[in-house]
Amino acid sequence: MQSLERFINILEAFSAEKPELNLSELVKKTGLPKPTVYRIVEAMVKHNILSKNPKTMRYKIGVKLFELGSIYLASMELRDIAFPYLDWLQQQTGESIHLGILDGNEVVSIEGLESAHSLRLKVWIGKRAPVHCTAIGKAILAFLPLEKQNKIISEVSLHPFTKRTITSKEKLKTELKKIKKEGLAQDLGEHEEGIHCIGAPVFDRKGEVIASISVSGPAVRMTEEKMKKYTPLLFKAASDISKKLGYSS
């Protein structure tokens, strides 16, 4: 915790008025010992969190923070664009709707709407879920470049959340091929017992998958018949969001 606080103190020393600081200035602004500041800022430079001018020996915010900030801004823009279509989808189906993005080897819910039914799937913004056994995760995973997809599959633990969870990497790859062909991902109680979910990918103007949306509900309502009924509605919402993002199929 102390190391984290020192890391944050150093970052907060930079400002729009003072975008570049030398070591002495950082020591003065943070109140930390000079050896401590030097050790931390050099580690930050190594990971591109800060950059260092070798001529002036001054530090400034690095490209890594710009990249992370860009991800945040993109996700906020995505939420604003997607929300009307998520709302429409929720009204059409009456079930819980999620919008998720890939973060590392997990999928994170960045927007959602809850079903009005008393028996419903709770929507938690910011909730993380496994990528291999959720419809919202598989809908993204299936459309990633093969190299990235294989990397994620090799790294994730195919933990059996239920007896229906796919725990074989080969079976998962086979299912992902099917999802890519059909455009639809399903979770029939793979992550949570008694919960069924269908998901579809969202693409940006470059044709790259950047998110997915899903319709989720208890298995007693999300029957095979209902899922077939909701699939074209899900496809329409995902397609409309993609078009708004500049995607042309």
Side-chain angles (χ1 to χ4, degrees):
M1 184 59 71
Q2 186 184 53
S3 296
L4 178 60
E5 288 176 351
R6 288 173 172 176
F7 175 91
I8 294 170
N9 285 342
I10 290 171
L11 281 181
E12 290 181 338
F14 295 91
S15 65
E17 294 75 26
K18 285 281 189 178
E20 294 190 17
L21 299 167
N22 61 29
L23 186 61
S24 296
E25 289 169 325
L26 284 168
V27 169
K28 184 178 179 180
K29 278 181 168 288
T30 61
L32 296 171
K34 187 173 182 179
T36 300
V37 174
Y38 179 76
R39 184 178 69 252
I40 295 173
V41 295
E42 287 300 312
M44 293 167 80
V45 168
K46 181 180 178 181
H47 292 282
N48 296 317
I49 295 169
L50 294 180
S51 65
K52 181 180 181 181
N53 187 320
K55 292 183 179 179
T56 64
M57 303 300 284
R58 299 178 75 83
Y59 300 90
K60 65 180 180 178
I61 297 297
V63 68
K64 178 58 68 176
L65 288 184
F66 174 77
E67 292 172 356
L68 293 173
S70 297
I71 292 170
Y72 171 77
L73 291 175
S75 69
M76 293 306 100
E77 180 187 21
L78 174 60
R79 287 180 65 185
D80 292 340
I81 289 173
F83 188 82
Y85 303 100
L86 303 180
D87 186 44
W88 173 84
L89 185 59
Q90 199 280 327
Q91 291 182 40
Q92 296 297 312
T93 64
E95 297 295 350
S96 295
I97 310 299
H98 282 88
L99 170 69
I101 60 172
L102 190 68
D103 183 31
N105 294 337
E106 295 178 304
V107 64
V108 180
S109 178
I110 63 169
E111 189 54 272
L113 293 162
E114 281 189 11
S115 167
H117 293 285
S118 56
L119 179 61
R120 63 183 181 270
L121 185 68
K122 188 73 175 175
V123 172
W124 296 100
I125 307 303
K127 180 181 179 181
R128 292 177 173 271
V131 74
H132 70 285
C133 62
T134 56
I136 200 168
K138 288 187 286 185
I140 298 175
L141 190 58
F143 289 87
L144 290 174
L146 198 57
E147 183 180 351
K148 187 172 182 179
Q149 181 190 108
N150 287 333
K151 182 176 183 295
I152 290 174
I153 293 173
S154 69
E155 292 175 351
V156 296
S157 170
L158 302 184
H159 176 74
F161 290 89
T162 74
K163 62 183 179 182
R164 296 177 183 84
T165 306
I166 295 177
T167 56
S168 162
K169 293 184 179 181
E170 291 308 312
K171 285 185 178 180
L172 178 58
K173 289 179 181 180
T174 299
E175 177 163 349
L176 294 176
K177 288 178 183 178
K178 181 174 182 288
I179 293 169
K180 188 171 184 179
K181 181 180 179 181
E182 299 176 355
L184 181 72
Q186 292 186 328
D187 163 14
L188 305 180
E190 293 176 44
H191 184 220
E192 295 181 68
E193 290 284 0
I195 298 295
H196 286 182
C197 182
I198 53 175
V202 172
F203 301 96
D204 65 9
R205 61 182 178 80
K206 296 181 287 184
E208 297 176 356
V209 62
I210 60 165
S212 62
I213 59 175
S214 68
V215 181
S216 306
V220 292
R221 283 201 310 269
M222 287 284 285
T223 61
E224 183 178 354
E225 181 183 359
K226 283 290 183 66
M227 287 190 288
K228 284 182 179 179
K229 178 182 177 181
Y230 296 157
T231 294
L233 301 172
L234 174 68
F235 283 165
K236 175 174 171 49
S239 175
D240 287 347
I241 295 169
S242 297
K243 288 175 183 176
K244 276 287 185 179
L245 293 168
Y247 175 65
S248 177
S249 60

